[in-house]
Amino acid sequence: MPVGTVASVKGVSQDILEELGVQILLGNTYHLYLRPGVGQVRQLGGLHRFMAWPRAILTDSGGFQVFSLNELRKVTEEGVTFRSHLDGSAHFFSPESAMEAQIGLGADIMMAFDECTEFPADRERARQSMELTLGWAARSKKYFEAHKREVPWATDHIAPGVPTWAGERNLAGGGDDHKIAGQNLAELRSAGQVRTPAPTQTQALFGIVQGGMDPALRRESAERTVEIGFPGYAIGGLSVGEPRAVTREMVEATLPHLPADKPRYLMGVGTPEEIAEYANAGIDMMDCVLPTRAARHGLLFTSQGRLSIKQARFASDQGPLDSNCGCRVCRRYSRAYLRHLYAANEVLAQVLNTVHNLSFYLDTMRSVRHSIALGNRAQLLSGEQSGVKP
Ligand SMILES: [Zn+2]
């Protein structure tokens, strides 16, 4: 999932994201809550309609930013008091208010409110933090179940004549001239790009596993989160400064205790090598700012490894950024031009670099999916063969 922090994947327009094959992107509740505000997004029909993005969206709980951007936060059992990084104003997030915010934003998937345990943390601190997250998970689910019909695109809550993102009421009323992003909704829907929510369709709330860097706590957190019961599970609290080997160990300690038939989401990971590795280990979803953030700093991921486009050695290089990449940037522009744009501090440098890096990440996942499908087929074939053997 590319990260679209404030309802925007920095530098890349939604039509290009569609062209790249992005199926789902992530929005940050903390940032959207502060600006433009949940009430504003709700009034505009929810996040999909607001940002003209008909495909899936996941919002985080706001917890991670509250913990990472706020030195002065105050955590109690009830919730977290924090100050806006924009203007210093005081705010309070609880499991209930974080759910209310995410229901108002109306993403397809929302996350339980959790405490991202800091690194390093001793075992007692990690346990206490895990208990807090488990209590908050149960409260998140309780609030969600009681209020899930309040999502802005819930078709049974929309007044007649109000255009919804799903547009179902308009279509049901024969008004098929409802336009979104210049395209006819019926066309988008027949192309499979717009969901057709049933009247009772709601968001999905995922639980989050914590437990610090302790394998036993990770296991306990996973088992008790599964007991509460969610349609998908995330592994949180990793990529917070620990060595990569520890991240891997924690993922391995958690994965077997999460149901394989539900989506398993590893938060905040990783490099192209890591996302391939974790996908092969059984992770289904990941999000990371690395491809987009690195691109804005001229760091590009290619089939030949990483390169920094700002280097002088590219000044006369007429070759493509990555000769094995078929993205619109590699098809059209030379390394020399991309290097020049970066050196001249042109906005286009950030746009083109981001498009390529996202394309590279999405290609990485496409090839992982392909190899998993091939592996499954090979396993099936070998299973059939072994079936005829004694
Ligand atoms: Zn490319």
Side-chain angles (χ1 to χ4, degrees):
M1 293 180 283
V3 177
T5 306
V6 293
S8 156
V9 175
K10 291 189 198 313
V12 185
S13 61
Q14 277 70 328
D15 53 326
I16 293 181
L17 295 172
E18 284 171 356
E19 179 193 289
L20 288 169
V22 174
Q23 296 171 335
I24 176 168
L25 50 80
L26 184 142
N28 290 121
T29 298
Y30 168 87
H31 290 286
L32 292 164
Y33 161 86
L34 291 177
R35 188 170 58 190
V38 172
Q40 177 78 330
V41 174
R42 170 186 274 287
Q43 198 184 5
L44 293 166
L47 210 42
H48 291 91
R49 186 169 168 79
F50 176 53
M51 67 181 290
W53 178 252
R55 297 183 186 177
I57 304 175
L58 178 149
T59 49
D60 64 2
S61 70
F64 183 77
Q65 275 76 27
V66 165
F67 292 102
S68 63
L69 293 175
N70 288 271
E71 296 289 313
L72 298 172
R73 65 182 184 268
K74 185 170 175 289
V75 185
T76 66
E77 179 105 29
E78 189 48 36
V80 188
T81 307
F82 62 97
R83 288 195 175 277
S84 160
H85 72 288
L86 297 173
D87 61 8
S89 54
H91 300 270
F92 177 71
F93 267 178
S94 64
E96 292 77 17
S97 68
M99 295 308 103
E100 182 186 17
Q102 290 186 81
I103 291 170
L105 294 172
D108 305 86
I109 300 171
M110 47 189 268
M111 304 302 300
F113 193 58
D114 66 325
E115 182 182 51
C116 182
T117 314
E118 69 282 357
F119 176 81
D122 64 33
R123 190 162 201 274
E124 227 7 77
R125 164 63 195 142
R127 166 166 285 286
Q128 174 245 328
S129 176
M130 179 194 80
E131 294 289 352
L132 186 66
T133 287
L134 283 165
W136 285 358
R139 281 166 58 189
S140 294
K141 183 178 175 181
K142 190 176 172 203
Y143 186 93
F144 173 71
E145 291 300 332
H147 296 270
K148 61 187 179 184
R149 309 299 313 145
E150 294 164 15
V151 68
W153 40 260
T155 46
D156 54 354
H157 274 265
I158 308 291
V162 174
T164 66
W165 169 249
E168 286 310 293
R169 197 161 288 270
N170 303 59
L171 287 173
D176 62 354
D177 59 346
H178 186 52
K179 302 270 183 178
I180 291 164
Q183 273 182 286
N184 186 296
L185 181 66
E187 284 169 21
L188 285 170
R189 195 170 57 165
S190 66
Q193 294 181 0
V194 170
R195 298 153 303 129
T196 306
T200 55
Q201 191 166 346
T202 63
Q203 299 165 278
L205 173 66
F206 283 17
I208 304 181
V209 173
Q210 290 286 344
M213 303 303 159
D214 186 309
L217 288 181
R218 284 279 163 184
R219 176 185 181 151
E220 182 178 345
S221 175
E223 289 174 347
R224 290 172 61 189
T225 307
V226 171
E227 258 169 52
I228 297 169
F230 294 96
Y233 297 93
I235 304 176
L238 296 177
S239 281
V240 290
E242 78 282 9
R244 288 285 182 249
V246 176
T247 316
R248 203 170 301 129
E249 189 193 340
M250 290 308 114
V251 173
E252 284 164 5
T254 311
L255 257 180
H257 308 290
L258 296 176
D261 61 347
K262 301 267 167 70
R264 298 185 290 194
Y265 163 27
L266 178 54
M267 305 181 91
V269 165
T271 64
E273 302 78 39
E274 286 165 353
I275 64 170
E277 182 189 330
Y278 288 125
N280 280 308
I283 294 291
D284 304 295
M285 304 166 65
M286 285 165 271
D287 75 282
C288 195
V289 294
L290 187 57
T292 42
R293 182 175 290 166
R296 297 197 299 277
H297 292 100
L299 183 66
L300 299 164
F301 297 95
T302 77
S303 57
Q304 310 301 311
R306 273 160 236 214
L307 65 81
S308 173
I309 198 64
K310 64 183 92 169
Q311 291 175 350
R313 66 189 171 108
F314 298 123
S316 304
D317 190 335
Q318 295 187 66
L321 181 51
D322 182 350
S323 53
N324 291 320
C325 178
C327 84
R328 56 158 68 207
V329 177
C330 292
R331 284 201 314 266
R332 183 156 192 163
Y333 304 103
S334 68
R335 288 173 164 185
Y337 182 63
L338 293 173
R339 194 255 172 190
H340 158 73
L341 289 179
Y342 190 88
N345 203 20
E346 282 294 310
V347 170
L348 187 58
Q350 304 200 356
V351 174
L352 298 181
N353 291 346
T354 305
V355 169
H356 166 79
N357 270 0
L358 282 179
S359 178
F360 187 81
Y361 264 67
L362 293 160
D363 276 348
T364 301
M365 289 309 296
R366 267 188 283 269
S367 75
V368 166
R369 280 194 289 273
H370 185 63
S371 71
I372 289 174
L374 282 179
N376 286 346
R377 191 182 297 176
Q379 206 170 25
L380 199 70
L381 286 172
S382 71
E384 282 166 5
Q385 278 171 357
S386 68
V388 296
K389 284 174 189 166

